[in-house]
Amino acid sequence: MDYDLIVIGSGPGGYVAAIRASQLGLKTAIIEKESLGGICLNWGCIPTKALIKSAQVFEYLNHSQDYGIKINGAGEVDFAAVVKRSRGVADGMSKGVQFLMKKNKIDVVNGFGKLKSKGVVEVKLNDGSTKQITAKNIIIATGGRSRELPNLKQDGVKVIGYRQAMVLPKQPKSLVVVGSGAIGIEFAYFYNAIGTKVTVVEFLDNIVPLEDEEISRNLQRILKKQGINIMTGSNVESVDTSGELCKVNIKTATGTEVIEAEVVLSAVGIATNIEGIGLEEVGVKTERGKVLVDDYYKTNIEGVYAIGDIVKGQALAHVASAEGIICVEKIAGQNPHPLDYNNIPGCTYCSPEVASVGYTEKAAKEAGYEIRVGKFPFSASGKASAAGAKDGFVKLIFDAKYGEFLGAHMLGYNVTEMIAEVVTARKLEATGHEIIKSVHPHPTMSEAVMEAAAAAYDEVIHL
């Protein structure tokens, strides 16, 4: 065998798995058809955050007088420069992964990898030639792509996916975003903040539908106040792209409405990249677009594993990384704990941000828990007031009988940085009273976690 391990795909699942394998003494190769870092570093998590930061800076300029700062003249968005900065950030991160591959002595094979037989991967190299490499173990980490609906075909110009939304040649004057998950809401926030007229269409009754309903309702109110038109309980039936503007036919609870926009962004989820990689030829079992694996990501075929978006669980970068580490440690003969998918944080990086982990209030009740709920609004936070960011709140959910920390839901400034405290607390099985008695620094946004826990037990001080 050429290697102990071959990883197909270099996203945050694949490259992390490769590095951990190298640390554990496995001779490792990674196959990537595009840029190291996969979608997350090049076309997802990282460049979108760069775009959002530009939008936030623009908002600061427009509201500088709120902070006692006068700026002569109006701020203006240089859309091409904003996109260029975003691409520069992504390129820098991809080069960082290149460095990590060299540092960890991981061979990088540039091309499209396909399973040929047990332990054999055929790679169609980017120069057009083909080679075969072998390994005792193979991890498939091929990720996902923008999902297309039959009535919302993407042409890459007028009807686009997230990749095109990051590199449009010019800023659209109007945009319809179909889907209000994290991707849809982040782009809606970005484009609205820099001056595009944005409409969000969501089939379900709440935006960010995986979040606690109270978070969804409050975020919707804030985004509407920012100027975003939000249509929930609505469905895009068709898009006419024949004219200068797209005509978007939307079915609502009261009838059909037509909205015109320069561009339509389809943000209705992702499809897995499992086609053409040899799964059928080798006999790897799949179901509904996902590769079937056990708790350590082993498929039904000996020596073949799968992680990330193509398997069970949330399609998130940090989930893929965690799965990759667990998978490799198991391959190396260690005994890692299976991943707890009920303790995975989810983040949406609009402004204000959304972060959550564990049970929503509704899910906790449906699971049979008797619950205690504590909330603390940022309007009562000294740090939030000083920062001019009083929108939002922290909501914590505990089991009333034993004090188990069931879930946390946050809406506000920088809450994506705060959620890790809750993830760690839940991992360590902390109770509500242990959170209350953990001294939080003042003034910080994170005090709201302690105060919300105190509110659940009628001990809150600052409300």
Side-chain angles (χ1 to χ4, degrees):
M1 294 288 182
D2 297 318
Y3 297 96
D4 297 309
L5 175 66
I6 294 170
V7 182
I8 304 176
S10 75
Y15 86 75
V16 167
I19 291 171
R20 186 67 182 125
S22 178
Q23 289 173 344
L24 293 172
L26 302 180
K27 186 182 179 185
T28 304
I30 194 163
I31 301 169
E32 174 55 57
K33 65 176 182 176
E34 292 187 52
S35 301
L36 288 171
I39 291 297
C40 177
L41 267 64
N42 294 285
W43 296 102
C45 322
I46 305 304
T48 54
K49 305 310 162 283
L51 294 175
I52 286 168
K53 186 61 183 180
S54 293
Q56 289 170 339
V57 170
F58 185 56
E59 286 191 315
Y60 269 134
L61 289 174
N62 287 336
H63 294 90
S64 64
Q65 289 193 352
D66 296 345
Y67 299 87
I69 307 296
K70 289 184 179 179
I71 297 175
N72 294 325
E76 184 179 340
V77 173
D78 183 342
F79 187 71
V82 168
V83 171
K84 183 179 179 182
R85 176 181 180 273
S86 170
R87 299 316 309 156
V89 170
D91 291 344
M93 295 300 294
S94 183
K95 286 173 183 172
V97 177
Q98 290 177 33
F99 164 76
L100 290 173
M101 296 299 101
K102 289 178 182 177
K103 176 187 173 185
N104 289 281
K105 299 179 173 58
I106 297 162
D107 290 341
V108 178
V109 183
N110 299 116
F112 184 88
K114 179 179 180 180
L115 298 173
K116 286 299 287 182
S117 58
K118 183 179 178 181
V120 181
V121 178
E122 182 179 86
V123 186
K124 185 175 182 181
L125 300 172
N126 289 346
D127 64 10
S129 62
T130 300
K131 69 181 289 189
Q132 288 191 353
I133 54 176
T134 59
K136 297 173 187 174
N137 302 286
I138 299 165
I139 295 177
I140 307 164
T142 48
R145 62 187 184 277
S146 180
R147 184 165 71 99
E148 279 195 87
L149 296 178
N151 59 336
L152 200 59
K153 290 291 184 182
Q154 298 174 23
D155 59 18
V157 180
K158 287 188 172 182
V159 181
I160 63 173
Y162 58 82
R163 287 183 71 140
Q164 292 88 8
M166 275 181 253
V167 291
L168 286 174
K170 67 182 182 70
Q171 179 184 343
K173 291 186 174 128
S174 52
L175 173 72
V176 170
V177 179
V178 185
S180 73
I183 293 172
I185 288 298
E186 287 176 15
F187 277 116
Y189 164 74
F190 165 69
Y191 277 105
N192 176 73
I194 64 172
T196 298
K197 183 181 178 183
V198 176
T199 295
V200 174
V201 182
E202 170 57 53
F203 177 73
L204 298 173
D205 292 333
N206 297 300
I207 63 169
V208 286
L210 296 180
E211 300 295 340
D212 188 88
E213 289 180 8
E214 200 169 358
I215 294 288
S216 298
R217 289 195 305 270
N218 278 272
L219 178 61
Q220 180 167 323
R221 175 183 55 79
I222 293 166
L223 294 180
K224 282 186 172 182
K225 190 176 177 182
Q226 291 176 1
I228 298 174
N229 178 30
I230 296 176
M231 304 173 67
T232 54
S234 301
N235 182 40
V236 173
E237 293 191 310
S238 63
V239 179
D240 181 357
T241 59
S242 60
E244 187 176 337
L245 296 175
C246 300
K247 291 184 178 180
V248 186
N249 293 288
I250 303 168
K251 185 179 181 181
T252 71
T254 57
T256 301
E257 188 173 337
V258 177
I259 291 181
E260 292 188 332
E262 283 188 23
V263 176
V264 176
L265 168 59
S266 178
V268 291
I270 65 163
T272 53
N273 293 324
I274 62 172
E275 307 92 345
I277 58 173
L279 299 183
E280 297 86 358
E281 291 90 332
V282 177
V284 174
K285 289 183 179 177
T286 63
E287 186 177 276
R288 296 179 181 177
K290 298 271 189 176
V291 179
L292 298 177
V293 293
D294 66 11
D295 288 343
Y296 299 100
Y297 310 101
K298 183 179 178 181
T299 70
N300 62 301
I301 302 299
E302 187 69 30
V304 179
Y305 302 80
I307 61 171
D309 295 358
I310 63 172
V311 301
K312 62 184 179 182
Q314 302 94 321
L316 298 168
H318 43 284
V319 171
S321 296
E323 291 171 345
I325 291 169
I326 291 168
C327 179
V328 165
E329 289 178 349
K330 189 68 172 178
I331 289 170
Q334 297 190 355
N335 291 298
H337 292 291
L339 189 58
D340 178 4
Y341 287 96
N342 193 37
N343 200 29
I344 300 295
C347 298
T348 303
Y349 299 84
C350 49
S351 190
E353 295 177 340
V354 177
S356 63
V357 67
Y359 288 95
T360 64
E361 183 175 351
K362 181 180 178 182
K365 289 175 180 176
E366 289 174 348
Y369 288 101
E370 182 184 342
I371 61 174
R372 282 181 173 269
V373 177
K375 288 181 280 189
F376 189 80
F378 285 119
S379 58
S381 161
K383 179 66 179 291
S385 290
K390 296 196 290 182
D391 281 331
F393 58 95
V394 171
K395 176 179 181 178
L396 304 184
I397 303 166
F398 300 97
D399 169 41
K401 190 173 183 181
Y402 299 112
E404 180 186 353
F405 203 160
L406 296 177
H409 306 277
M410 305 180 184
L411 172 66
Y413 172 70
N414 245 21
V415 295
T416 59
E417 302 295 339
M418 292 165 51
I419 195 66
E421 172 187 350
V422 179
V423 175
T424 303
R426 295 185 76 234
K427 176 73 173 174
L428 298 175
E429 299 182 350
T431 64
H433 278 102
E434 286 170 326
I435 298 298
I436 297 168
K437 298 305 180 185
S438 298
V439 178
H440 285 59
H442 176 77
T444 59
M445 302 293 286
S446 65
E447 284 176 293
V449 176
M450 176 183 68
E451 295 275 20
Y457 290 91
D458 302 318
E459 298 176 22
V460 66
I461 299 296
H462 289 100
L463 276 184

